[in-house]
Each structure stands twice: as C-alpha cells, then as structure tokens.
Amino acid sequence: MGELQVFEYMREHQYEQVVYFYDKPTGLKGITVIHNTTLGPALGGTRIWDYATEEEALVDCLRLARGMTYKSAAAGLNLGGGKTVLIGDAGQLKSEAYFRALGRFVQSLNGRYITAEDVNTSTRDMSYVAMETDHVVGLEGKSGNPSPITALGVFNAVKAGLQHKFGSPEVENHTFAVQGAGQTGYYLIGYLLEAGARKVYFTEINPRHIERMQQEHPEVEFVKPEDIFGLEVDVLSPCALGGALNDRTIPQIKAPVVCGSANNVLLDEERDGKALKDRGIVFCPDFVANAGGIINVYHELHGYVRERVVAETGKIYDRMLEILAIADAQGISSQEAAKVFAKQRIEAVRQLHSTYIPR
Ligand code: NAD
C-alpha cells in the first residue's frame, strides 16, 4: 500500500472517527477508530502491539474496527464497530497508571466507544481502565471467560452448516476434525461429544492441550497438524489462528462443511471465500459463527443473565442458515453474504432512525 490517504479511506469505507491519543508520563500512545455507530456505541477490544510504523498501527485499527461493525450487526446486537490499538512493547508498558490513562481517554469519548480486552490486554488491565470509565466490558466477576459461550455459538453454527448441507442439524452420524484444542476448540469438542458425534479428530501444537484432550476424551483421535485439512470428515473446524484457510490448505479439504471459531480464518477473504464456494464447500463465516464472545460481553451492559446469553447465542443457528441461503440465492461466497446480511441490518436501522421520536 502506498501512503495511506486517511480521509479517502474513511470516505470509501464510511468511517466516522479516528482519534489519536498520547500520555507522556505513562508512555500511552494509541489510536481509537470508530467505524460505525448506527446500531449503537462502537464496541471493540484494546490491542497492544509493537507495530513497526504508525501507519501499520492505523491500518490494523481501521480494519479491526470495521470487522467489529459487521460482527455485531450480524449478531443482532445494538452495537457499532470500533477498536483501539496501543503502540509499543506490552511487557514494558503495562502498569496501573498506563491503563488508567487509557480509561480517561475512553471516558473522553463519552460512551461512543466501549472497550474490552484483546491481544496483550487482560481482565486485570481492564479493571484499571474501569477505575476511570464505565465504558469497558469483559471485567472480572462479570461475564467471565467468553470461550465456552463462543464455542457454543460455533456449535450452533456447525449445526446450521449440517442442516444446509445434509438437511438435518443432527451431529450424530457425522465426523469432525478440529484444528486447535485451546480455549474454544476444547469446549467445542465437548459439545460435539455430548451431542453424540460419531468421530472427532483433533490437532494441536501445545503439548499440554494434547495431553488434556487425551486424558479427558481418549476417544478423540490426535492427528499431526499438517494432516488435519485433508481428513475425510464431514466438518472441518478451524479453531486455532487466522489465515488457516488459504490457497495451500483449501485444495486439501475433503470436508463438505467448514465452520470454526478462528477469526479472519480466510487469508484472503475474497480469493479464499470464492475458492471454497467454487469447491462446493459450505463455509460458515467466522465472524458470524464466533459471535458468542461479543454476545457474552454485550450482556454486561444490560445486567448479565447467563440464560439470556445462551438463548441469544442459540440464534446464531438461524442467522447462519439465512446467510448461507443469501449466498446461494445471490451466487456469492458465504463470507460476502454475511456482509450483505450485516449491511442490510445497518441500513434498515439507519432508516428507522431517520424520524425524530422523543422518549
Ligand atoms: P487459544 O490460543 O486458546 O487456542 C488456540 C489453540 O490452537 C492453541 O491451543 C494453539 O496451541 C493451537 N494452535 C495454534 N496453531 C496451531 C496449528 N498450526 N495446528 C494446531 N493447533 C494450533 O485461542 P482461542 O481463544 O481458542 O481462540 C481461537 C480462535 O478463535 C482465535 O482466532 C480467536 O481470535 C478466535 N475467537 C476466540 C474467542 C474466545 O472467546 N476465546 C472469541 C471469538 C473468536
């Protein structure tokens, strides 16, 4: 990319606001991007990363904030999309004062942006942010670890994928391959087994996670990382890192359904989304499948009730079916269809807001 023309980029992708902030005593240096607040306040986590350049940080923040708009819109939440990136070495920068300084900047946006944890930030860090602002979620003692809920959402999305492909959402009689048995993959495997999955394979690179699976569920068969994509199974579930589906791995896939938790799992959204479609593979877009995490923290804003969160996460099933149907009807990739679905909701609500009704 040549030098970024920020206003041109904002115009093209309809961003609302880009804020730079700096606090000399603590070394806090960051950017908050608010992409779209049609549906509600922009929510997105705070990431700390030692970016090589300021432009790299900005581009990352712009991209992540936009992704949050689609994720929340497709999840049926009254939230917009935003993100914060903090520039520097997390190990050296983190302190109470650093996060309280961040909290003061978040507060200065007056609720237009709500933050949470992300890469290199923790619930503990957010507890310092919360000393200075109410606009933070993902706090200790509130919604708790999102991973079981994220995995439950993925499980519902898997069932939608099965329904779309085989005409029934039952997981019995089906076989599964899960890449990554960390926070989300571990719980997903639990749900699949509970529902009577015929066979589950998994792969991992962390020996502790391999051992945990082998002790708790010896029936789940380990395969080497390089073998997971080519397994003869019904569902491939990438639950490790982004970019796992690409021009090297997609040609190996034998599963007719692909559905997992990993964010940005397509290395190149357009190319790889189309490659999956051309191969006739039902791909459940990741940002729809893994929305349980954001549904979980969203409910902190409205008084957290676990049953309500589980019920909302269950709606991922119908939403995924609708998106897969849009993809078929319009002859586009499911990744593209998920964006169409999200944009339709934003546009519909934008029109709803066009009349003034006092409350
Ligand atoms: P995690 O780090 O707990 O688990 C990922 C696991 O994948 C790790 O155990 C790691 O060892 C393994 N792994 C990494 N590379 C691998 C490879 N090449 N082959 C096999 N295993 C490999 O992370 P997580 O919280 O389970 O998240 C997984 C994905 O889901 C990420 O992309 C994350 O952004 C996304 N996600 C997570 C949540 C959540 O609530 N945790 C919510 C939304 C999205």
Side-chain angles (χ1 to χ4, degrees):
M1 187 187 294
E3 197 187 324
L4 183 68
Q5 301 295 316
V6 182
F7 283 112
E8 178 50 29
Y9 191 86
M10 287 177 77
R11 187 194 64 75
E12 189 186 340
H13 298 287
Q14 299 181 30
Y15 286 87
E16 292 179 14
Q17 199 173 3
V18 176
V19 185
Y20 281 73
F21 51 88
Y22 180 58
D23 180 64
K24 193 172 172 193
T26 57
L28 178 78
K29 187 163 73 172
I31 306 169
T32 294
V33 171
I34 295 176
H35 175 244
N36 186 297
T37 57
T38 306
L39 297 175
L43 193 148
T46 293
R47 169 172 299 195
I48 308 180
W49 199 254
D50 207 358
Y51 294 98
T53 64
E54 288 172 17
E55 181 165 311
E56 197 184 293
L58 174 62
V59 169
D60 202 28
C61 200
L62 287 163
R63 194 179 53 82
L64 292 165
R66 190 161 85 235
M68 290 308 295
T69 297
Y70 299 133
K71 182 175 225 169
S72 285
L77 302 175
N78 290 322
L79 287 176
K83 198 81 186 182
T84 295
V85 300
L86 304 178
I87 301 168
D89 179 347
Q92 304 216 336
L93 286 166
K94 280 183 163 204
S95 70
E96 176 184 343
Y98 178 84
F99 286 107
R100 290 183 72 160
L102 170 66
R104 294 177 74 77
F105 279 107
V106 171
Q107 184 61 28
S108 75
L109 294 169
N110 200 25
R112 275 177 50 71
Y113 168 69
I114 301 167
T115 198
E117 56 269 63
D118 194 66
V119 177
N120 284 328
T121 57
S122 65
T123 50
R124 183 158 166 266
D125 302 332
M126 291 304 130
S127 69
Y128 297 132
V129 174
M131 290 177 184
E132 304 291 340
T133 183
D134 293 331
H135 308 300
V136 53
V137 290
L139 297 170
E140 267 167 16
K142 291 232 176 147
S143 64
N145 177 8
S147 305
I149 292 290
T150 301
L152 183 63
V154 175
F155 177 64
N156 289 318
V158 164
K159 290 201 286 188
L162 290 172
Q163 168 68 36
H164 189 81
K165 187 74 197 180
F166 299 105
S168 160
E170 298 303 324
V171 304
E172 293 148 286
N173 303 325
H174 288 296
T175 54
F176 300 84
V178 181
Q179 183 196 35
Q183 294 256 45
T184 52
Y186 167 79
Y187 286 107
L188 176 65
I189 290 172
Y191 295 131
L192 291 171
L193 295 173
E194 216 177 275
R198 185 150 63 85
K199 177 81 191 172
V200 182
Y201 300 88
F202 84 110
T203 190
E204 246 305 333
I205 52 172
N206 180 334
R208 278 190 299 120
H209 291 171
I210 298 173
E211 204 182 301
R212 172 174 66 175
M213 191 56 65
Q214 287 173 339
Q215 277 180 359
E216 292 183 25
H217 301 294
E219 71 275 32
V220 176
E221 191 173 329
F222 177 78
V223 298
K224 287 190 284 190
E226 61 273 25
D227 294 341
I228 197 80
F229 293 100
L231 286 181
E232 297 264 7
V233 288
D234 298 316
V235 181
L236 170 68
S237 187
C239 297
L241 301 177
L245 302 180
N246 51 51
D247 53 0
R248 186 181 59 80
T249 56
I250 291 173
Q252 299 173 39
I253 298 175
K254 300 205 178 72
V257 177
V258 173
C259 178
S261 65
N263 264 324
N264 303 319
V265 72
L266 303 178
L267 186 62
D268 181 319
E269 267 191 77
E270 214 169 299
R271 179 198 65 192
D272 300 326
K274 186 170 176 307
L276 287 163
K277 172 180 170 288
D278 291 348
R279 292 210 46 214
I281 295 169
V282 174
F283 170 64
C284 298
D286 51 84
F287 70 88
V288 182
N290 69 21
I294 190 140
I295 293 171
N296 196 51
V297 291
Y298 173 75
H299 281 258
E300 275 187 29
L301 299 169
H302 304 280
Y304 189 81
V305 180
R306 188 76 169 180
E307 292 71 34
R308 225 182 283 157
V309 172
V310 169
E312 283 302 316
T313 305
K315 293 181 185 166
I316 289 176
Y317 175 81
D318 286 330
R319 228 169 266 136
M320 189 62 79
L321 282 181
E322 213 176 319
I323 287 164
L324 295 173
I326 292 174
D328 285 355
Q330 299 191 12
I332 55 178
S333 74
S334 51
Q335 182 75 7
E336 207 43 49
K339 286 196 184 153
V340 169
F341 178 84
K343 285 180 186 168
Q344 276 172 355
R345 178 160 178 254
I346 295 170
E347 277 318 306
V349 174
R350 195 196 301 280
Q351 292 190 17
L352 189 72
H353 284 173
S354 68
T355 49
Y356 174 66
I357 315 268
R359 318 179 40 170

